[in-house]
Amino acid sequence: MRVLGIESSCDETGLAVYDSEEGLLGEVLHSQIPVHQDYGGVVPELASRDHIRFITPLLQKLLKETHLSLKEIDLIAYTAGPGLSGALLVGAAFAESLAFSLNLPVFPIHHLEGHLLSSLLKENAPAFPFLALLVSGGHTQLLKVEGVGNYHLLGETLDDAAGEAFDKTASLLGLPYPGGAKLAQLAQKGIRGKIKLPSPMLHSKDLDFSFSGLKTAVRQKIEKNLNLTPQFCADIARAFEDSVVEVLTEKTLHALKTHGLNEVVVAGGVSANQHLRKVFNEKAKRFHFKTHYPSLNLCTDNGAMIAFAAFLRIKAGFSPKTAGGFAVFPRIPLKTGDFPR
Ligand code: KG4
Ligand code: ZN
């Protein structure tokens, strides 16, 4: 079975083909960063228009690169939520009409399910049940994954998502949007412990997070120090990254212990963070648990994770739908991964 996956929930248009026998056959991605950079964040209307502009040429590029024709596709999967409604509608309308014209079934996929199953694309995949830490621009959640389509939310952020906190802090330091990866780079030059920032909710007994206070603490440090030398900025970045990583890894450890699990999948854009991976790997050795991360190119949004999630859902016995009427779901929690039909 060959699945075409389409992702358009935010500021990346991603398409990919996954083959049940041969694995990932190809993937293409168009990032909208230059479109939104001047505004310091994603502008929904511009995102929708850009998805419209690039989705057809991207499909043509994917077919050319994989030497496939549309006749060789068996199923079309697309992100149906959560995300920006206009952006989701572009991918959904494109996928549904393409499938309708080709008489193919479609599979609407939950964006977070795509992220958290993307680690299973690699060798030595985790075995169910496992813990998932989803850290992206829009979400920070700890979930117990019992199996495909069986997710239990254990804790989540009460305010900003981890990626959002990275981006807002980067912006305070004058780095262009999205600043997460750039802030991480800057942190490498910072001196550990030079600046102290809080580690929010580190000792709260629950599995929830809060990152907006950390951003405010950074703002206050910056306001007090009018001489923003490159070293001061690097030290702030170091302190910020250390705090976020400490809270994320400690809460994950707590969740593993509380729920009797010994494998964790870290997924979403922030899982690309090398310091986060390093601290996780150190703790994994010390406390005897296993860590899994998606390949670096699959940490941020992409079409491969959507195609792969649809393949796993079919394998687990879930049914695709007939192409035609459809809806998108900008805000929908992940429980079974099903959408109202
Ligand atoms: O999963 P994703 O592509 O989009 C959402 O679903 O939100 O995640 C994007 C987020 C952004 O906030 C970006 O700054 C952050 O992931 N990010 C990073 C790194 N690479 C991407 N944050 C910290 N360190 C990184 N290396
Ligand atoms: Zn995402």
Side-chain angles (χ1 to χ4, degrees):
M1 180 182 54
R2 282 203 195 99
V3 188
L4 167 66
I6 300 176
E7 156 63 36
S8 73
S9 66
C10 189
D11 58 350
E12 256 124 10
T13 325
L15 284 82
V17 180
Y18 181 82
D19 183 295
S20 52
E21 304 296 317
E22 295 171 51
L24 197 57
L25 297 184
E27 56 157 333
V28 290
L29 188 79
H30 168 71
S31 162
Q32 302 181 352
I33 288 174
V35 175
H36 305 292
Q37 208 150 47
D38 286 350
Y39 304 92
V42 178
V43 182
E45 179 59 22
L46 296 184
S48 310
R49 289 187 211 172
D50 211 62
H51 286 304
I52 292 173
R53 200 170 302 133
F54 282 94
I55 202 161
T56 306
L58 278 172
L59 175 61
Q60 286 162 341
K61 185 171 175 229
L62 178 66
L63 293 174
K64 200 167 162 202
E65 285 179 8
T66 53
H67 306 288
L68 289 171
S69 76
L70 283 172
K71 287 199 189 83
E72 292 168 287
I73 302 291
D74 304 303
L75 172 72
I76 301 183
Y78 63 91
T79 307
L84 302 169
S85 51
L88 288 167
L89 273 172
V90 176
F94 185 80
E96 291 272 356
S97 36
L98 186 63
F100 188 79
S101 68
L102 295 166
N103 202 17
L104 291 179
V106 280
F107 220 129
I109 295 293
H110 196 291
H111 182 79
L112 299 185
E113 184 176 39
H115 272 305
L116 72 82
L117 296 179
S118 60
S119 284
L120 276 68
L121 257 170
K122 287 182 41 179
E123 279 171 27
N124 300 321
F128 299 114
F130 58 81
L131 183 73
L133 172 69
L134 265 172
V135 269
S136 70
H139 295 85
T140 300
Q141 299 189 336
L142 276 165
L143 298 125
K144 182 174 180 185
V145 180
E146 303 271 8
V148 174
N150 194 348
Y151 312 106
H152 298 280
L153 182 66
L154 306 177
E156 64 183 332
T157 184
L158 305 176
D159 41 56
D160 290 355
E164 186 182 1
F166 261 94
D167 293 341
K168 286 179 176 171
T169 303
S171 165
L172 288 171
L173 293 173
L175 299 169
Y177 177 86
K182 295 177 197 91
L183 184 139
Q185 244 180 330
L186 183 61
Q188 287 176 8
K189 298 184 194 138
I191 300 166
R192 170 153 300 130
K194 187 84 187 288
I195 292 173
K196 292 243 173 314
L197 288 175
S199 296
M201 296 182 73
L202 182 63
H203 301 296
S204 68
K205 296 265 179 306
D206 53 28
L207 295 172
D208 289 332
F209 303 90
S210 163
F211 293 112
S212 73
L214 194 51
K215 172 197 67 198
T216 310
V218 169
R219 178 177 289 127
Q220 285 165 350
K221 295 269 181 211
I222 291 176
E223 280 166 2
K224 268 195 211 151
N225 186 334
L226 293 174
N227 183 18
L228 287 188
T229 62
Q231 189 57 48
F232 174 77
C233 291
D235 292 342
I236 287 258
R238 173 80 277 142
F240 171 83
E241 193 181 52
D242 283 346
S243 291
V244 173
V245 167
E246 184 186 21
V247 175
L248 290 176
T249 53
E250 280 301 309
K251 290 262 168 165
T252 301
L253 190 60
H254 182 44
L256 285 165
K257 283 182 188 158
T258 318
H259 292 272
L261 298 166
N262 60 7
E263 293 195 77
V264 61
V265 161
V266 189
V270 183
S271 70
N273 187 281
Q274 293 304 312
H275 185 56
L276 179 68
R277 290 186 178 206
K278 185 170 162 262
V279 175
F280 256 128
N281 293 341
E282 285 165 4
K283 289 194 174 161
K285 250 192 206 155
R286 217 167 119 210
F287 297 101
H288 311 290
F289 64 89
K290 271 199 210 161
T291 53
H292 302 268
Y293 315 93
S295 324
L296 276 182
N297 62 322
L298 298 185
C299 288
T300 43
D301 294 348
N302 63 83
M305 67 182 193
I306 302 304
F308 184 58
F311 160 69
L312 289 181
R313 286 184 74 82
I314 299 257
K315 211 170 123 192
F318 293 93
S319 305
K321 71 182 255 309
T322 311
F326 66 93
V328 294
F329 303 85
R331 289 176 74 86
I332 184 164
L334 178 60
K335 285 179 186 148
T336 60
D338 280 325
F339 292 97
R341 289 188 181 177

